[in-house]
Every structure is written in C-alpha cells, then in structure tokens.
Amino acid sequence: MDEVEVVVAHSERATLRVGEVFVKVDADQARIDAEVEAMSLAPVPTPEVLWRKPPVLAIAALPGAALGRLGGPSTGSPAAWAAAGAAIRKLHDAPLPPRPGRAGRSIAALAAELDDECALLVTNGVLPADLVTRNCQVAEAALRPWAPAFTHGDLQIAHVFLDGDEVTGIIDWSEAGRGDALYDLATFTLGHEEHLHDVIAGYGTDVDLDVVHAWWSLRSLLAVRRLIEHGFDPFAPGCEVDVLKSRM
C-alpha cells in the first residue's frame, strides 16, 4: 500500500497524497465547487478530476515537478520560467470566468484590510513599525483600477509543474476567478525576484513593475499573521518577512 503523505493540513482544509492521487478535504464546499469549475474553464493544463464526493475531491498527480517553493532555492532554467510566463498569459487572455476570485477584491476592501492588518502587526509587536510603514507605502501602488482577467488567485510556484521546460499543469484553483492579472504575476514571483524578467519575457507584454512590487508587499503584509496562526513560518529565510525587508 502506498504511504500517505500530508501535503498541507490546517483547520480549513487538508490535502493528502496517496501514490499518484491527491485527496483534498475542504470544510468550505464552495471552494471545491470553484476549483472544479475553474479547472474545467482554464485553457492551460490542469489535473484530471478522478472523483468528488463532498467535502472530498480526488485529482491525479501531474507529471514533472513543481517549479519550486517560497523560501526554497530557485529552480528551473530561464526557459522554464519563461514557459510558465507564457502559460500565465494564456490564462489571463482567456474568456472571463463567471465569478470573482481572490485576485478580484475591490480597491476599497483591500485598502481597509491593509490598514487594519498593518495596525495589528504593529500593535501586537509582530513586525517593526518602520518595516510595516514602508511596505504599506509600497503596497498602495496596487490599489488602482485594473482590467479583469481570468486569474488563478494563488499562483505560488509550488502550484506550477514542469517537465524540463514544458508546463505540465497548474494545481490548486480554489481562489480562481476574475481579478487583477498582476496579482498572479506577483504571487508567482514572490521571493524569487531574480526570475521576474524571465517570466515577463514569456508573458510577452509590458508589465508595470511598481505594481508587481506593490503586490509583493501587500500580499506579504496580509499573510504574516494568518500564516503564523496556521502553523507556518513567514520568518523563514526567503519567505514573506524577507520579502518585506527587501523593500526597505
């Protein structure tokens, strides 16, 4: 019998791997519904849905390996990062999905969340005030009008699989929907700034780098406390707190 590997587990959801099958258990049925819908609409390779029985979804493993992970070494050739950029562009150019996604929150809602989170980070002594203030200033550039695109919403490099320089699939679509394309590009390059230009080369169009940098700061500021609460370490080398420090 294959060994059961716990990929991720916290109070909201868990993902297990058994051989070539991933089993996802999610307390929020709407997230599973959104994930299956997004995978059926996305014009890029996605895992095969083997079966679903709420609150469980089983999907097939993808060939190849993830491009890397936040806090880990940079992996993949420049051509591999460019291929990922091309796949992201194909997604962003696709017909819009029916619902807004994680990358589609309103400017007003994001601004309010950012203000509240920055205050809590300082008040609770999680991060130094100067680090929070500087990154809050950088983050403001992301709070601008944007044209909606088909976005993944959680496009970490760990969610993009390649075999050599070919993208074999993208996983974890529960946050997908209409949203800001630069949110995806920023999430994908978070902690791996050295590969941003390779990704943009594959993406094939001009990108406002100030907005990408702003999303790095905004996403990291909003993530630090939540990650700690779920047992993750945003202070680990190369992770969210180092991303914030790089903006100083």
Side-chain angles (χ1 to χ4, degrees), residues 104-115:
R105 288 167 291 171
S106 72
I107 295 171
L110 273 171
E113 185 179 0
L114 179 63
D115 287 345

Side-chain angles (χ1 to χ4, degrees), residues 185-209:
L185 288 176
T187 302
F188 186 66
T189 55
L190 185 77
H192 291 282
E193 183 172 355
E194 70 277 11
H195 292 296
L196 177 58
H197 290 289
D198 295 326
V199 174
I200 292 173
Y203 194 71
T205 189
D206 290 338
V207 169
D208 190 330
L209 297 181

